[in-house]
Each structure stands twice: as structure tokens, then as C-alpha cells.
Amino acid sequence: QEHAYPADELMPLTCRGRVRGQEPSRGDVDDALGKFSLTLIDTLDTLVVLNKTKEFEEAVKKVITDVNLDNDIVVSVFETNIRVLGGLLGGHSVAIMLKEKGEYMQWYNGELLHMAKELGYKLLPAFNTTSGLPYPRVNLKFGVRHPEARTGTETDTCTACAGTLILEFAALSRFTGTSIFEEYARKALDFIWEKRQRSSNLVGVTINIHTGDWVRKDSGVGAGIDSYYEYLLKAYVLLGDDSFLERFNTHYDAIMRYISQPPLLLDVHIHKPMLNARTWMDSLLAFFPGLQVLKGDIRPAIETHEMLYQVIKKHNFLPEAFTTDFRVHWAQHPLRPEFAESTYFLYKATGDPYYLEVGKTLIENLNKYARVPCGFAAMKDVRTGSHEDRMDSFFLAEMFKYLYLLFADKEDMIFDIEDYIFTTEAHLLPLWLSTTNQTISKKNTSTEYTELDDSNFDWTCPNTQILFPNDPMFAQSIREPLKNVVDKSCPRGISRAEESLGSGPKPPLRARDFMASNPEHLEILKKMGVSLIHLKDGRVQLVQHAVQAASSLDAEDGLRFMQEMIELSSQQQKEQQLPPRAVQIVSHPFFGRVVLTAGPAQFGMDLSKHKAGTRGFVATIKPYNGCSEITNPEAVKEKIALMQRGQCMFAEKARNIQKAGAIGGIVIDDNEGSSSDTAPLFQMAGDGKNTDDITIPMLFLFNKEGNIILDAIREYEAVEVLLSDKAKDRATIFKGKMIPNYIIDSNLEIENMDQKSSENDSHKPTSEEAPSESQDAGSVSEEPEGGGESSAVGDPAPLSPGSTDSASVPMADLDPHSPGATETGAPEPACTAGDSQPQEQNTHTEASSKAHWERKVQPMESILADWNEDIEAFEMMEKDEL
């Protein structure tokens, strides 16, 4: 209200509202914004849950008088439905409840419901398809097919986008008596059900809205599908239609057969459900344990929830995606509420106080790492603690609601929460709607359902009571084996190394332990059919010929060794790329709450090796470009220099400020409006000369982030920052110093604590990082040309073929003339999954060195043909993997 209204969202770093069209486009994320005061509408029923009834009444009046739903703007049908339509219906639900109690909202006459109906009609044109599946976007003013609509050309939508409408649309029909909304939502659900893959009973991620063909044929419970499953079960709860429960049970059986690999939930192919589609999980699947509680299947819910909690304890937040060995895959965290939702439902089901401790951890992490002066900022990178100028509406709509309910006693609530069901956006819809205005036939007799023998799929309703009153240790006994699953990274059964302690065979050599100078290791390689060749340039090449192995079992071990070596080579090459750094404003009134994502330099102090970072007040240099001798050295000495990008090399700027006595430098982009939100981060490269003389840290900020510091200087003059590899918590920043009263008053737990635990949880860059990640971008050097700036974008600093950690023996390229040869790279200690499918070898090798594979002329089929004598080993491995 103070900083953003009437904008759709708050930008917590710059303390202003986000208005679509006035900020750089963020792509599909902006489709949620419709210039309809999104956050206010999305938060209406949260105010009542928090017992803020006066504030709720004022908010409703603002929505009624100020919000316009007839804007010429293209919005997401899915997001507008769950956030705006759901928000209006949730607000209406609690408004009529308060009115009935007789104290508040006595003037209310269904105004929110009238707005909801108006919005419902504006969404209906999206359903004008032959399949009944809605277009993913609609123009609020002109619909879909209108010449000025600027939408209607899309052919695909996600399963969740089309299958997460029934609660809001059915509630709108039941509240108003207008059946068309529920009819359209049911038709979309019916079509998705009919298009499921019949042999696996799974659905894909993306579907063609005209033909019904699956566009993306991978299936999971995370992004793109998640709330489709949620709404099948909740539609049964809210509407009492048995067909929805039958469909959900059929899908749930398939999920538990194929996708659930406790405690993991891994995507599979709908036509080959025994084959994993990817080796990472996204954070949206964190809702699934809560849905399992609603289903009544508690054990796997506890297992998956505990696994997710261990990931959070390692990284402070749940990364947008993480690998099966729990490394960061996508480092962002937009303050998603799904894990808090599951925590609340597990506590409701078990009564186990452990989940209150989990909730306490979530609150402490939010206050310690995400809280900024104007709100809570999304995490740009959970490894560095850098922020993004973003606070999505769902943070107030869901996160606040679930965390409050987790700790609230019954007497804290002014109404009975058990009388309502939560939508996927945590909006409240009353259960009495199941008996109101029933205009739709409840049973779909034309649809066949799979007969399920498992007693787990009996008819079930939500669990609102403690399920285990006679065994309070039940949940703990399930969690206990998973306590160290993340720290160990690769849980597995007894290894051959353990077997060898008895009378079993000698353990195979692991790639991470290999030393090229160890004669025993070379003998093991020979037994596995792996030969080592020393090349003239000093590198070493490993080649495996399965037919030369001592036995089929040794050949299998050899193949695993080669696959591990390829994986380690890929990891080394990617991990040598420098991760993003953090600029943290630690002076008044920020006190470490504002963290800016910064690009690193390939020269100067390596902040990853100096955990304390470099701390100092900032000063603007003259000349501002830093390309000549600094004329205000007295202002720069013992401070962190601010300078503008351009007109000379980065290294030259660094030398000039270092000569002037600066202890660090921040280069600010001269490209107006540039931001790490929309542009890939890069590394500042040297000038092609020896840069060992540069000893101070240098970081790069885009224009938007740099202006935050410059604005702070204009307002507060003395601005102190901390340059580090990742953001520090405020207890560390003020260790041994007087803690400002501002922080003490904020109820954050600032103690003079040891840093050890945070260092143990340090966020290391992952080798699985997606190509879109900012640190994967190339280096940029600046070169003078005619007085202007010239930027050359290229690859990161050349990486050597690698050397083994212990033996310092480089590993070689693939020999294209050796059939069956497999490229390897320098091993670093890491944990691999052990058995891998043969076809994965091609994937890992391409990831490790594209250039080498471009020289490879033999396809994988020809390599396998050379191993015909030992094909039995491959079949055995594939069988084991499946």
C-alpha cells in the first residue's frame, strides 16, 4: 500500500510498484500482470486469516472503487484465474462470512462477486477452440480473435494451465447460478483425461489446444502439470463428484508406479514410463506432499518433504531446480510457498511438533536473507544470497497464510478454516458450495476408469485430524533414514568396496580415485579393458575396448569408470567458470538487507578464497570512466571506487584505482536500463597481459543495480558495501560491532554467532547449471576504439584439458580413429550415480566437450557394434538401471 499501490506488484529493492510496460519485459512472467492491482486482490482473504478485519474492509472498498478489469492488455488465463478470479471469490467468501457474524462488512452487497463474474466472462473467449482447451492468453478488452487482441495465434498450452480452472469456475457458477463457467472448465478437464496416455495413465507437460497431441511428452508432478492433479482431488472435495476422485486415483497410481522414486519425484516419458526424462527436480513439486496428505498417503509425503527440507537446510531456500544428488541446477528462488503449504498439511495430519520447527526455520531464513527495507525480495541466486527486485503476489497470498496457520491455535482464528478448501493460490472456497446450484450431471458415465486393486486407493476424504494418535514417533521413524540424504549426496546400497572386506571380489576403481602414476590403478584399468595412452603433448588418453576386459563383469566396471570420468570432466570444465558475486549494502538504513548480483573479474582478488570479503565505503572517482589517472585520490583512498563502464579495458580501470589507494572497485554499466534480471551476467576479462599486479577485488553491476547504490549515495551520502562471493547474514556482518537499534527492533535474531555453520552450507556452483544461468555467459573485454567502447563477447578463459587432482597427469581428447574410444577429462572428487544407461554416455560426452565430439565421426550405434562380443554386459546394465 505504501510503496506500490495501485501497481500489480511491489519491487522491494527500489521501493516502487511494478507496472507492466514501464519496466523491462521479463517474458512470460509478466503475463500475470494486468494493471488490476494484482497483489491487493490476491491478498484479500489472507487479511481475514490474519484477523486483520478492518484492513480487509478497507482493501475491499479499494478494489471495488479503483480496480478496472477492462484493460487493453494480454494476460495469462491460468494466472488470472488462480490469482485474480480466485482472489475475488476468496474475498467474497470471507466477506459474506464476516457479514453473517454481524460486526464487519454490513454494507457489503456482493460487489466482489459481481467483479468476479465480469472477469469470468472476459476469460470465456479463450475457450473458443475445437477441443475445449483454452488459449493460454486472452486480451481483457478484446478477447482472442479480435483484430486488436494481439493474441490467439498460440497452438500449445500446459496441462496445468488448462486443467487448473474447475475450482474457481465451478465456484463462480455455484455462487451466481450461471452454469456456463463450470461447463467450460469441465469440458477442458474431460479432454485432458481422454488424451492421457492409456498404457501409463500419465499426461504430458504441453498439449496442442487444437489437435490434442502431446507436444512435450515428459510427465512429472512439478511445473506444467502440478495443479492439474491437485484440482482433480480438490474438485471431488468441493463438488462431491465421484468421477474426479476416480480420475485422480488412476493418475495417482501411475505417479506412484513410475514417477515416485522415494524420496525423489523424477519426470518420466509418458510412452516409456520406466525411462527417466531428466535428472533434476523443480521446486514446484514441493506441493505434492501436501496433496498426498489430502489423499491420505502419509508415508511418501513425509519422505519427500524431509528430502526437500534437507535441501533447504543446505541452501537456505529451495532452488528453482536441483539435481538428483542435490546440487543447484537453477539457482533462483522467487519465495515460492509450496514447501510451506506441505509443511502445514503434514502438521495438521500428524500433530508432530517437528513441523513447527521446520516452519520456524522458514521464517528465520525469510527474515535473515530475504527481508529488505520495503518488503521481501526474491533470491536471484541461493548460492550467493543476491536479490532480485521482485515480490510476487503469491508470497502474501500463500506464504503468509500457510505460515500463520501453521502456528495459529483455534482461538486465534475468527472462523473455522475446516469449512473451506484451499485453491492452488490458497484462496478460500466454502465447502457448502457442493450442495448449491447443482446444474451439472455429477457422474460422467461415458468415461472408463482403471480398476485399482490397491487398498491405498479406497475412497478417501481430506485428513483433518491427527492420523497417528497412538504412535507419535511414526513420522520420525520415516524421516530418520533421510536425515543425511543431502549431505551424503548419493545414497546407495552396499558397494562392492564394502563387499570386498569379506571374501567378495576386489572393488572396481572409481574415477574420482584414479591416479595415472599408480601402477595398481593401471593394472585395474587393464583388467577392465581400459588402456592408457601418453600423447606427445603431455596429455593422456583413456580408451576402453570391452572385448579386452578380463570378464563381462570387469567390462561393466570399465564402462562405469569411463562414464564417471566423462561426468567428472564435464563437472571440472563447468565448475572452472566463475560464479556470480554479491554486493551487499551494509550501512544505514539497509544493514545488509539489499544484495545485488554482480559479475566477477578474471583478475584481482578472488573473493571465493577470502570469505570475509572486502568491506568499505563507496566513492565515485574522477574521471568517472577510470581510464586515466584518478584526480580525486583523497576521496578514493581506503574506499571502494565506483566507475562507469567504457572507453578502456577493465584491467586498466582496476590499475588506476588501485594506484589511487582504493581497496576495491565496482564497474557500473553505461547502458541505460540494463539489469541482471533481463541480461546475462558476464565475467570481466583481462587485457591480454599479465594481471598479477592487480590485487584488489573488482565487480561489475548492470545499470539498474548500480543505480541503487548511486541513489543511496545521493540520499544518505555515506554508503558502506560488502563485496563477497555470497551474501552474509547480518549476524556475521555486525560480528564484534555495535548492532544498530534498527535491526534489534526488527525482531530478527542477531547474535554474536560463529560463521561455521553458514560456511558448511556454502553454495557451490553446480556442474548441472542450465545454459540460461548468468554465470554461464562468456567473458567480456573492453577495448578502446575511437574514444568509444568496444565489447568483445567470447568464451570464458580457455580451460586446459585438465589434470588429475593427485597425479597432475592431463587427460586427453577422443581419438577419432579408435573404435569405441571414450573421451575423458580430469577427475575431481565428486559423487556419481554409479550405474548409468549406455545411451547416457553420448549425452555426457557432448556436455563435456562439444568441440571434441564435432571431430567424432562414428555414431553411438557403430561404437556399440564394435562391442558385440560383450553386448551381454550392456543388456545387464540396462536391466539393472531400469
Side-chain angles (χ1 to χ4, degrees):
Q1 292 284 350
E2 180 180 351
H3 298 291
Y5 187 79
D8 284 318
E9 289 180 347
L10 168 68
M11 300 174 68
L13 296 183
T14 52
C15 299
R16 56 197 173 95
R18 183 182 296 278
V19 179
R20 191 167 172 186
Q22 296 182 12
E23 302 293 334
S25 173
R26 300 176 298 170
D28 292 347
V29 176
D30 284 339
D31 287 345
L33 311 181
K35 297 182 179 179
F36 35 36
S37 298
L38 172 63
T39 300
L40 181 63
I41 294 177
D42 213 3
T43 315
L44 287 176
D45 52 8
T46 300
L47 292 171
V48 179
V49 171
L50 300 180
N51 204 6
K52 301 288 186 181
T53 48
K54 290 183 180 179
E55 290 84 348
F56 170 74
E57 194 158 3
E58 292 303 313
V60 171
K61 290 177 180 178
K62 282 191 174 183
V63 170
I64 294 172
T65 57
D66 297 349
V67 172
N68 177 24
L69 298 174
D70 194 38
N71 299 316
D72 179 12
I73 193 167
V74 176
V75 297
S76 162
V77 173
F78 168 76
E79 297 290 356
T80 304
N81 172 65
I82 65 172
R83 299 203 208 186
V84 186
L85 182 58
L88 292 170
L89 293 172
H92 173 70
S93 299
V94 293
I96 58 177
M97 176 271 297
L98 290 174
K99 184 175 182 178
E100 288 175 1
K101 288 182 177 293
E103 184 175 355
Y104 296 99
M105 304 298 293
Q106 296 305 299
W107 54 269
Y108 182 71
N109 195 31
E111 289 86 351
L112 293 179
L113 181 60
H114 298 321
M115 294 179 68
K117 187 174 182 181
E118 177 189 353
L119 181 60
Y121 278 120
K122 288 183 174 297
L123 295 178
L124 286 185
F127 292 83
N128 189 17
T129 61
T130 55
S131 66
L133 298 179
Y135 283 95
R137 298 174 186 84
V138 66
N139 187 299
L140 291 176
K141 188 176 185 69
F142 298 110
V144 173
R145 300 267 177 103
H146 192 279
E148 298 181 56
R150 304 186 306 281
T151 188
T153 59
E154 304 93 336
T155 58
D156 308 332
T157 192
C158 71
T159 301
C161 300
T164 311
L165 300 161
I166 186 64
L167 291 189
E168 292 83 1
F169 273 49
L172 182 57
S173 287
R174 302 295 174 96
F175 272 130
T176 63
T178 306
S179 63
I180 188 172
F181 304 109
E182 185 173 346
E183 291 171 359
Y184 274 53
R186 281 180 177 263
K187 183 179 179 182
L189 269 183
D190 291 345
F191 189 83
I192 295 174
W193 169 252
E194 293 299 329
K195 289 298 179 179
R196 75 191 186 282
Q197 213 291 321
R198 296 305 177 100
S199 62
S200 67
N201 281 320
L202 294 173
V203 293
V205 174
T206 308
I207 190 171
N208 186 295
I209 60 176
H210 303 296
T211 66
D213 295 332
W214 291 110
V215 179
R216 277 188 55 189
K217 301 177 183 179
D218 46 320
S219 183
V221 296
I225 302 180
D226 49 0
S227 48
Y228 162 69
Y229 294 134
E230 177 186 3
Y231 269 38
L232 284 177
L233 181 56
K234 289 184 176 180
Y236 163 66
V237 175
L238 180 66
L239 306 177
D241 189 332
D242 295 349
S243 66
F244 291 127
L245 181 62
E246 291 170 348
R247 294 181 190 183
F248 173 80
N249 281 344
T250 302
H251 284 313
Y252 190 78
D253 176 56
I255 291 169
M256 300 310 290
R257 283 180 195 271
Y258 307 121
I259 296 170
S260 177
Q261 302 175 36
L264 310 180
L265 292 164
L266 293 176
D267 286 17
V268 299
H269 297 280
I270 59 175
H271 296 97
K272 297 180 180 179
M274 300 301 290
L275 185 64
N276 287 340
R278 62 190 188 193
T279 58
W280 50 271
M281 296 166 280
D282 66 73
S283 62
L284 285 172
L285 61 76
F287 91 100
F288 197 66
L291 187 64
Q292 289 178 306
V293 170
L294 200 63
K295 171 72 176 82
D297 199 4
I298 303 297
R299 176 180 289 273
I302 293 173
E303 291 175 338
T304 299
H305 180 274
E306 181 62 24
M307 176 271 292
L308 294 170
Y309 183 45
Q310 297 302 319
V311 175
I312 289 174
K313 289 204 292 186
K314 182 174 183 179
H315 300 294
N316 297 323
F317 297 97
L318 197 61
E320 277 291 77
F322 53 94
T323 63
T324 53
D325 53 357
F326 311 112
R327 291 173 295 168
V328 174
H329 187 63
W330 293 339
Q332 301 94 330
H333 174 74
L335 306 181
R336 292 198 186 278
E338 285 76 16
F339 181 78
E341 174 186 358
S342 289
T343 303
Y344 165 68
F345 281 114
L346 274 169
Y347 179 65
K348 290 284 289 183
T350 65
D352 190 337
Y354 174 82
Y355 295 108
L356 296 180
E357 291 298 321
V358 174
K360 180 183 177 184
T361 299
L362 297 181
I363 293 173
E364 289 175 344
N365 287 349
L366 285 170
N367 278 326
K368 186 182 292 186
Y369 302 111
R371 192 166 189 169
V372 295
C374 295
F376 291 83
M379 305 307 295
K380 180 77 171 178
D381 192 316
V382 298
R383 297 163 302 186
T384 64
S386 58
H387 290 139
E388 191 174 354
D389 201 4
R390 168 183 181 185
M391 192 179 86
D392 291 84
S393 66
F394 53 67
F395 179 70
L396 297 178
E398 299 183 71
M399 183 73 86
F400 270 34
K401 191 176 294 173
Y402 285 125
L403 289 177
Y404 180 83
L405 289 171
L406 176 63
F407 292 98
D409 295 323
K410 199 164 188 178
E411 53 269 22
D412 296 326
M413 303 291 295
I414 60 174
F415 65 99
D416 190 353
I417 198 72
E418 303 296 344
D419 292 338
Y420 297 82
I421 191 168
F422 293 102
T423 69
T424 195
E425 190 77 4
H427 293 306
L428 300 173
L429 298 178
L431 293 174
W432 53 258
L433 287 175
S434 62
T435 59
T436 303
N437 291 326
Q438 295 184 36
T439 58
I440 306 294
S441 174
K442 290 179 63 175
K443 183 70 176 178
N444 185 349
T445 56
S446 64
T447 305
E448 297 180 0
Y449 297 91
T450 305
E451 290 294 328
L452 302 171
D453 299 328
D454 195 329
S455 61
N456 182 46
F457 304 105
D458 292 337
W459 300 86
T460 59
C461 287
N463 292 285
T464 59
Q465 304 300 321
I466 295 176
L467 296 182
F468 313 106
N470 299 321
D471 188 5
M473 299 298 289
F474 180 84
Q476 181 179 341
S477 66
I478 298 174
R479 290 192 304 266
E480 201 61 37
L482 301 171
K483 285 292 185 184
N484 298 317
V485 66
V486 172
D487 291 335
K488 290 181 178 178
S489 288
C490 292
R492 56 179 182 273
I494 185 170
S495 66
R496 284 182 53 177
E498 294 165 333
E499 292 174 0
S500 68
L501 296 177
S503 57
K506 189 173 180 64
L509 178 63
R510 303 302 300 269
R512 63 170 179 256
D513 302 325
F514 173 64
M515 296 173 60
S517 61
N518 189 322
E520 185 179 353
H521 288 183
L522 297 179
E523 188 63 31
I524 296 175
L525 289 186
K526 183 177 180 181
K527 187 178 180 182
M528 294 190 299
V530 179
S531 56
L532 184 146
I533 304 171
H534 292 273
L535 302 179
K536 292 180 180 180
D537 57 8
R539 294 179 299 165
V540 174
Q541 178 181 357
L542 292 177
V543 180
Q544 191 208 25
H545 297 280
V547 293
Q548 296 177 5
S551 67
S552 60
L553 185 59
D554 289 309
E556 179 184 340
D557 291 337
L559 181 58
R560 289 176 185 167
F561 174 82
M562 298 296 285
Q563 289 172 328
E564 287 182 12
M565 192 65 78
I566 292 169
E567 178 77 10
L568 294 177
S569 175
S570 175
Q571 288 176 13
Q572 184 197 29
Q573 291 189 29
K574 290 184 178 181
E575 287 175 2
Q576 285 191 34
Q577 297 176 3
L578 298 177
R581 305 300 188 206
V583 176
Q584 193 167 7
I585 307 179
V586 299
S587 55
H588 171 83
F590 307 98
F591 299 121
R593 286 176 168 172
V594 173
V595 183
L596 308 174
T597 301
Q602 294 178 350
F603 52 85
M605 180 190 293
D606 185 354
L607 290 171
S608 65
K609 297 178 181 178
H610 295 77
K611 295 300 182 183
T614 296
R615 177 173 175 168
F617 288 92
V618 295
T620 304
I621 64 172
K622 297 178 182 179
Y624 190 31
N625 59 35
C627 293
S628 58
E629 185 176 350
I630 307 304
T631 59
N632 61 335
E634 68 287 344
V636 175
K637 188 174 182 179
E638 298 301 322
K639 294 184 179 178
I640 295 174
L642 298 179
M643 68 211 78
Q644 189 177 47
R645 177 185 181 184
Q647 300 185 29
C648 65
M649 309 291 281
F650 289 121
E652 184 178 347
K653 298 175 189 286
R655 290 190 179 97
N656 288 333
I657 64 170
Q658 181 174 285
K659 184 179 178 181
I663 60 173
I666 299 175
V667 179
I668 299 176
D669 194 8
D670 60 343
N671 183 16
E672 189 69 29
S674 65
S675 167
S676 62
D677 294 341
T678 55
L681 210 61
F682 60 79
Q683 306 167 25
M684 293 187 290
D687 54 5
K689 305 174 185 177
N690 190 324
T691 54
D692 291 344
D693 59 313
I694 302 176
T695 58
I696 61 174
M698 293 289 293
L699 296 180
F700 176 87
L701 289 178
F702 280 108
N703 186 265
K704 177 183 174 183
E705 287 79 4
N707 281 335
I708 293 176
I709 296 181
L710 296 176
D711 290 343
I713 294 175
R714 283 190 282 269
E715 188 165 353
Y716 303 105
E717 293 186 5
V719 175
E720 189 179 14
V721 301
L722 174 66
L723 312 183
S724 59
D725 63 329
K726 62 176 181 177
K728 311 298 182 187
D729 61 62
R730 289 184 286 281
T732 302
I733 293 173
F734 295 102
K735 185 175 181 181
K737 299 186 179 184
M738 181 67 70
I739 302 176
N741 291 332
Y742 179 87
I743 294 182
I744 296 176
D745 294 341
S746 69
N747 293 324
L748 303 181
E749 296 183 5
I750 301 295
E751 303 173 7
N752 191 12
M753 61 170 61
D754 193 342
Q755 173 94 11
K756 182 177 179 181
S757 62
S758 66
E759 288 181 358
N760 288 342
D761 289 340
S762 62
H763 317 311
K764 299 178 182 177
T766 174
S767 64
E768 301 282 53
E769 199 64 53
S772 61
E773 288 289 273
S774 59
Q775 66 269 26
D776 286 347
S779 308
V780 174
S781 299
E782 298 192 13
E783 299 177 2
E785 181 178 284
E789 174 192 329
S790 174
S791 297
V793 182
D795 295 328
L799 302 178
S800 64
S803 59
T804 59
D805 289 343
S806 52
S808 297
V809 179
M811 309 307 293
D813 300 346
L814 172 73
D815 181 356
H817 302 294
S818 300
T822 307
E823 180 209 63
T824 63
E828 289 186 7
C831 187
T832 60
D835 293 354
S836 299
Q837 294 179 354
Q839 54 264 46
E840 288 184 355
Q841 183 170 333
N842 187 29
T843 303
H844 293 321
T845 306
E846 288 181 354
S848 65
S849 180
K850 181 180 178 182
H852 296 160
W853 274 103
E854 287 174 349
R855 289 160 44 194
K856 178 170 179 155
V857 295
Q858 288 182 292
M860 179 59 77
E861 290 77 11
S862 66
I863 294 176
L864 295 179
D866 290 331
W867 291 350
N868 279 333
E869 294 87 347
D870 215 12
I871 198 67
E872 230 176 283
F874 286 93
E875 294 172 346
M876 183 189 308
M877 285 185 63
E878 185 169 13
K879 182 179 179 182
D880 290 346
E881 176 69 11
L882 294 179

